């Protein structure tokens, strides 16, 4: 009689392997079966928080589950990012990542609780938030070309404000100095509001501010905008030239918002979240709400977001180090 024990053993092994895989397959097919939390690593009310709430609400509709927003602010966004990096890789805890959490912090924190590449699974870019260079109304330059001339003729005479050390506003100013060959003093504040207010009052000459934060003051004539920091003009201010076109070719400085999951989150879960995120930002109502913030919807594949993070790390790390920017 033929001995079929090896065949039986193989079939038993395959059956056991399939049985072990079933819970994972079932979980992926059922995802999401409970509410999803997006951790915003900054305080409520800021542009990152607003983008998360707008996009998260629509993603919840698409996925058929509630999407909760949890603000875990502190240390330039590293506290919230670190918490998500350590969360279960099941797709139910996500991070609203930014240029700070995934490009600047690794260069400025003595001890960063997460690695922006190794500890996260990219999901999708969501929106870009351009910055704008605004000056006091009496500043002796009407455009970027004149500004560079004034700064070169008066090294270290003028100062620029920021919302704090190692913030995108701070490093935007450092990038401008490096590319233009000029010298200015940096005045850090505890938040963007007080920084902008001192530009309005004339205590500080200028600020590289998020466009949504400065838009009202620009429209009210409290400050003068002389350049937007992306390669295309903003629909909200179509007459405002880009810094690139008006005196400093190649200058780009903007904040971005993107969704990340903990590393090792299953690829099919990432795919579902990516699909929901991209559908959400293409929704006309969502697009309008983000446009009202002067944010530009982007969208991406997970792979494109991963490459974006690597490019941003390569760009901002050297600038932060050259500026000596450090966060405890």
């Amino acid at each position: 009689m033929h001995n079929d024990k090896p065949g039986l053993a193989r079939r038993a092994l395959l059956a056991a392997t399939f049985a072990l895989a079933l819970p994972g397959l079932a979980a992926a097919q059922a995802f999401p079966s409970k509410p999803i939390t997006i951790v915003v690593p900054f305080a409520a009310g800021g542009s990152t928080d607003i983008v998360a709430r707008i996009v998260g609400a629509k993603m919840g509709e698409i996925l058929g589950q509630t999407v909760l927003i949890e603000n875990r602010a502190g240390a330039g966004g590293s506290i919230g990012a670190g918490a998500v990096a350590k969360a279960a890789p099941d797709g139910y805890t996500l991070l609203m990542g930014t240029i700070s959490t995934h490009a600047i912090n690794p260069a400025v924190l003595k001890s960063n609780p997460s690695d922006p590449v190794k500890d996260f699974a990219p999901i999708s870019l969501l929106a870009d938030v351009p910055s704008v260079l605004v000056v006091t109304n009496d500043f002796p330059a009407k455009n970027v070309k004149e500004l560079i001339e004034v700064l070169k003729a008066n090294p270290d005479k003028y100062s620029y404000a920021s919302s704090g050390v190692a913030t995108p506003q701070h490093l935007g100013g450092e990038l401008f100095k490096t590319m233009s060959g000029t010298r200015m003093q940096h005045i850090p504040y505890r938040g963007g509001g007080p920084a902008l207010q001192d530009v309005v009052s004339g205590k500080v000459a200028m600020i590289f501010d998020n466009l949504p934060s400065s838009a009202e003051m620009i429209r009210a004539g409290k400050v003068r905008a002389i350049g937007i920091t992306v390669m295309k003009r903003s629909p909200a201010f179509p007459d405002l030239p880009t810094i690139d076109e008006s005196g400093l070719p190649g200058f780009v400085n903007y904040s971005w918002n993107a969704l990340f999951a903990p590393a090792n989150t299953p690829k099919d879960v990432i795919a579902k979240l990516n699909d929901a995120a991209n559908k959400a930002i293409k929704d006309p109502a969502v697009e309008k709400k983000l446009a009202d913030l002067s944010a530009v919807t982007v969208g991406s594949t997970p792979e494109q977001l991963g490459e974006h993070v690597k490019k941003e790390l390569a760009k901002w790390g050297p600038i932060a180090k050259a500026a000596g920017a450090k966060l405890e």
Side-chain angles (χ1 to χ4, degrees), residues 126-213:
L126 298 178
D128 292 342
V129 180
S131 294
V132 61
L133 172 55
V134 297
V135 299
T136 58
N137 281 328
D138 61 354
F139 192 83
K142 305 299 181 185
N143 54 52
V144 173
K145 185 178 179 181
E146 290 180 4
L147 171 64
I148 293 172
E149 291 172 354
V150 169
L151 294 177
K152 283 186 173 180
N154 301 275
D156 291 323
K157 177 180 178 180
Y158 295 101
S159 300
Y160 73 95
S162 83
S163 57
V165 173
T167 59
Q169 294 175 337
H170 173 200
L171 297 187
E174 295 301 313
L175 178 64
F176 185 90
K177 286 163 57 179
T178 299
M179 291 183 65
S180 64
T182 56
R183 284 163 50 189
M184 293 183 284
Q185 299 293 323
H186 170 227
I187 309 296
Y189 287 76
R190 290 182 178 272
L196 178 60
Q197 192 55 51
D198 270 9
V199 177
V200 171
S201 68
K203 291 180 180 178
V204 186
M206 68 194 79
I207 185 172
F208 294 82
D209 198 15
N210 283 340
L211 182 55
S213 302

Side-chain angles (χ1 to χ4, degrees), residues 188-256:
Y189 287 76
R190 290 182 178 272
L196 178 60
Q197 192 55 51
D198 270 9
V199 177
V200 171
S201 68
K203 291 180 180 178
V204 186
M206 68 194 79
I207 185 172
F208 294 82
D209 198 15
N210 283 340
L211 182 55
S213 302
S214 288
E216 185 178 342
M217 292 295 185
I218 295 168
R219 292 191 179 103
K222 302 289 187 181
V223 290
R224 181 153 40 87
I226 63 172
I228 196 164
T229 65
V230 288
M231 299 301 283
K232 293 182 180 180
R233 295 191 181 197
S234 168
F237 293 91
D239 296 329
L240 179 62
T242 67
I243 292 178
D244 167 77
E245 72 180 272
S246 58
L248 193 57
F251 183 86
V252 175
N253 172 43
Y254 62 93
S255 297
W256 47 265

